[in-house]
Amino acid sequence: MTKSNVMEVPPKGGFTFDLCRRNTMLQQQGAKLPKFRKTGTTIVGLIFKDGVILGADTRATEGEIVCDKNCEKIHYLAPNISCCGAGTAADTENVTDMVSSQLVLHRYATGRESRVVTALTMLKSHLFRYQGQVSAALVLGGVDVTGPHLHAVYPHGSTDTLPFATMGSGSLAAMSVFESRYKENLTKEEGMEIVSAAICAGIFNDLGSGSNVDLCIITKEGKEYLRNYQQPNPRSYSRSKGYDFKIGHTAVLSTKITQLRQHVQVLEGDAMEEE
Amino acid sequence: MSMVFAPRMAEAAPSSHAGASWSPYDNNGGTCVAIAGADYCVIAADTRMSTGFSILTRDYSKIHQITEKCVLASSGFQADVRSLQKNLDARHQIYQHQHNKQMSCPAMAQLLSNTLYYKRFFPYYAFNVLGGLDNEGKGCVYTYDAVGSYERSGYSSQGSGQTLIMPVLDNQLKSASPLVLPPRESSTPLTENEAVDLIKDTFASAAERDIYTGDGVEIVIINKDGIRRETMPLKRD
């Protein structure tokens, strides 16, 4: 048997927890772990007569501060499938991008339109392998040959299949609207109205959610993405005289001007013409 | 021969924090601002009271008038704030009985500092801004930490939106740096209406980015003619 230099390959797949011990040790010594940008969030989905409607707010928070007043929480997975994401923004972005790419390859391999259960299985397997360390809570919805589907996906990898679902810090406010107003076989207009009302409930009653309402309506005809469908939070006041910063407002301590032109020597050919 | 071996216990998944225990404090959020002028003082606070990620009420006043010419605005734990307000009111009443006059603003400032430090080892979770007119009729603003350290200045902000508002006030009101000599007057050269305009704009900006600031702002203006109140709605999301 030829002796082959086999490199030490780390175990395939899954999460290695070695660094978690180091992190707890550092924390106990007083080091502060970096804050993640979370999306606070209210995300919802419901099934209506002809398909699925997804809704989301647009506020992203870093602790108590709003870091993005108009971010996009409804992610593209396939031409007939979309996914709303709550939790750590980097996690939701990356996990949906990853599954979206995998679905493209899958479509080439199968020669068929993607199915919602395929996206669901890819997402839940990934999240389970990472044992909840990937903090992504998703509302997945779409329409395929088998009909409209709506699922809620949790960070540890479990899923629920539901006629209406809400996730995020504003999920309770939104669910209260759904529970009182949802019924089967809603029309598109009724569905849009109920989804907007649910998102608004999250926006106004949950401090982690805010700004605008995004909607995404998916039917077998296609997908309609209504970015900023409602904007119920305009700025309340602007100073009448504005802010004027005249020259001299900031003290100039020293000035140094370097002529660039003198460093360029034309050795042969024509000097470039000035435009 | 039986092999007995103690199975190695799987390392417990590291917990991110020691067991949470009960705390006597809560933070109800909110922001307070005060600006002093040559002959006026403007004190403002938002009207949102929250706990965690929920709103308790959109219409809560954090501003309390203690004397004719002296107003206290406090953010933090409103139960402690209320208790502090009642304490100061009682002490002021006693002062009035003993001295047959109202307390001046600088005197009240000192009293507040002493009251806060009295509870140095179980503090009032209150972040205070005291505003009013001093004995000469000029605007004064006193700013405090939770245990009573205080300083007179031309303007101040406290609370959850403090870090968002303070730099704007520094930029617009050009506070004298403590290192600048000779020290400049502590009052700021804005008119009363300009100060109110600035306050409305800073609160609108703070409400955009701070989740605990919003719903409405209550503005109290003190000048030689008395005390006047204004309110303005803010974003409710």
Side-chain angles (χ1 to χ4, degrees):
Chain A
M1 282 291 272
T2 48
K3 230 200 295 186
S4 50
N5 278 343
V6 178
M7 256 186 22
E8 267 293 348
V9 177
K12 244 195 190 175
F15 195 70
T16 48
F17 287 83
D18 311 336
L19 289 179
C20 290
R21 267 181 67 198
R22 178 205 76 159
N23 287 345
T24 21
M25 183 204 72
L26 284 175
Q27 247 190 325
Q28 277 158 9
Q29 288 182 358
K32 266 197 299 202
L33 286 184
K35 266 205 283 228
F36 306 123
R37 183 176 136 197
K38 309 199 90 195
T39 49
T41 303
T42 308
I43 48 172
V44 306
L46 64 60
I47 296 193
F48 71 107
K49 193 156 52 90
D50 307 318
V52 168
I53 305 180
L54 301 175
D57 75 305
T58 60
R59 172 183 284 181
T61 51
E62 247 167 19
E64 314 171 333
I65 304 293
V66 177
C67 59
D68 191 344
K69 293 188 277 190
N70 204 190
C71 72
E72 289 189 33
K73 300 188 191 179
I74 304 185
H75 307 285
Y76 169 91
L77 276 186
N80 57 324
I81 309 175
S82 275
C83 187
C84 308
T88 305
D91 287 337
T92 56
E93 294 269 347
N94 282 294
V95 89
T96 45
D97 281 353
M98 193 196 71
V99 168
S100 172
S101 304
Q102 285 180 354
L103 284 175
V104 171
L105 296 172
H106 195 255
R107 279 200 290 282
Y108 280 124
T110 57
R112 291 173 168 81
E113 188 191 57
S114 297
R115 300 190 185 189
V116 182
V117 286
T118 314
L120 182 70
T121 308
M122 291 175 175
L123 286 167
K124 66 154 59 176
S125 319
H126 180 81
L127 292 174
F128 180 73
R129 261 188 327 131
Y130 282 81
Q131 288 293 298
Q133 301 295 320
V134 175
S135 174
L138 312 166
V139 170
L140 171 71
V143 178
D144 55 34
V145 286
T146 45
H149 296 277
L150 179 70
H151 303 280
V153 185
Y154 296 87
H156 284 264
S158 65
T159 58
D160 284 335
T161 305
L162 298 163
F164 54 93
T166 66
M167 298 284 254
S169 58
S171 61
L172 275 67
M175 188 52 96
S176 63
V177 173
F178 273 0
E179 286 289 6
S180 31
R181 295 172 63 173
Y182 181 84
K183 51 188 210 291
E184 300 203 323
N185 292 320
L186 290 163
T187 65
K188 178 177 162 191
E189 287 67 35
E190 287 174 330
M192 283 167 69
E193 167 54 38
I194 294 178
V195 167
S196 319
I199 297 291
C200 282
I203 285 174
F204 290 110
N205 298 109
D206 174 42
L207 297 177
S209 314
S211 297
N212 314 121
V213 179
D214 284 352
L215 284 191
C216 185
I217 303 130
I218 312 176
T219 57
K220 68 178 193 316
E221 271 76 53
K223 200 197 285 184
E224 208 184 324
Y225 178 46
L226 300 170
R227 169 80 169 142
N228 290 357
Y229 172 70
Q230 273 182 1
Q231 294 180 298
N233 287 298
R235 187 188 166 90
S236 52
Y237 187 84
S238 263
R239 194 180 184 199
S240 38
K241 68 177 189 186
Y243 289 92
D244 184 29
F245 298 101
K246 297 188 191 44
I247 293 179
H249 201 88
T250 305
V252 177
L253 298 176
S254 68
T255 310
K256 180 182 171 190
I257 301 174
T258 310
Q259 291 291 353
L260 293 176
R261 202 169 282 275
Q262 69 201 38
H263 295 296
V264 176
Q265 267 188 323
V266 179
L267 294 171
E268 59 179 281
D270 301 318
M272 258 185 15
E273 276 179 357
E274 277 187 51
E275 288 295 291
Chain B
M1 179 170 74
S2 58
M3 257 188 28
V4 175
F5 55 94
R8 203 178 330 130
M9 289 292 280
E11 291 235 7
S15 60
S16 52
H17 59 269
S21 63
W22 180 83
S23 163
Y25 297 112
D26 186 18
N27 189 353
N28 298 123
T31 310
C32 303
V33 174
I35 298 180
D39 60 349
Y40 67 87
C41 186
V42 183
I43 301 99
D46 71 319
T47 59
R48 171 178 283 175
M49 184 169 164
S50 50
T51 176
F53 273 115
S54 301
I55 297 178
L56 289 171
T57 178
R58 299 191 194 272
D59 197 14
Y60 190 82
S61 175
K62 301 186 185 58
I63 302 182
H64 181 77
Q65 184 182 357
I66 324 176
T67 81
E68 233 172 49
K69 299 232 176 284
C70 190
V71 162
L72 175 68
S74 325
S75 67
F77 181 35
Q78 292 302 320
D80 271 357
V81 166
R82 190 74 196 101
S83 169
L84 176 65
Q85 289 168 354
K86 285 165 133 179
N87 192 322
L88 292 175
D89 283 341
R91 291 298 305 274
H92 184 233
Q93 233 185 27
I94 295 168
Y95 182 96
Q96 285 179 88
H97 288 313
Q98 291 175 344
H99 297 83
N100 200 25
K101 66 170 183 174
Q102 299 236 327
M103 270 177 100
S104 66
C105 198
M108 181 54 76
Q110 183 68 60
L111 175 63
L112 174 54
S113 171
N114 293 343
T115 310
L116 292 170
Y117 197 77
Y118 192 73
K119 279 181 42 88
R120 170 65 177 84
F121 299 107
F122 183 12
Y124 287 107
Y125 193 129
F127 301 103
N128 305 293
V129 180
L130 189 78
L133 301 178
D134 65 10
N135 293 316
E136 295 158 13
K138 283 202 269 205
C140 60
V141 165
Y142 295 89
T143 182
Y144 296 79
D145 71 353
V147 283
S149 161
Y150 79 111
E151 177 188 39
R152 178 171 177 172
S153 50
Y155 59 89
S156 172
S157 66
Q158 286 283 351
S160 58
Q162 166 189 20
T163 46
L164 295 169
I165 293 181
M166 204 59 171
V168 179
L169 296 183
D170 283 338
N171 177 265
Q172 294 296 306
L173 303 177
K174 290 204 185 73
S175 170
S177 156
L179 301 173
V180 164
L181 291 173
R184 266 186 260 158
E185 282 249 318
S186 46
S187 290
T188 43
L190 273 189
T191 68
E192 192 181 296
N193 288 329
E194 285 175 335
V196 173
D197 190 36
L198 177 63
I199 286 215
K200 287 180 178 174
D201 195 46
T202 47
F203 267 94
S205 305
E208 294 273 325
R209 293 286 177 176
D210 178 25
I211 61 178
Y212 297 120
T213 302
D215 293 333
V217 56
E218 185 188 359
I219 306 171
V220 171
I221 304 112
I222 309 177
N223 53 27
K224 63 176 183 348
D225 303 323
I227 297 193
R228 151 176 135 249
R229 276 192 151 74
E230 259 185 62
T231 54
M232 185 190 83
L234 289 176
K235 281 174 73 160
R236 293 158 72 95
D237 68 348

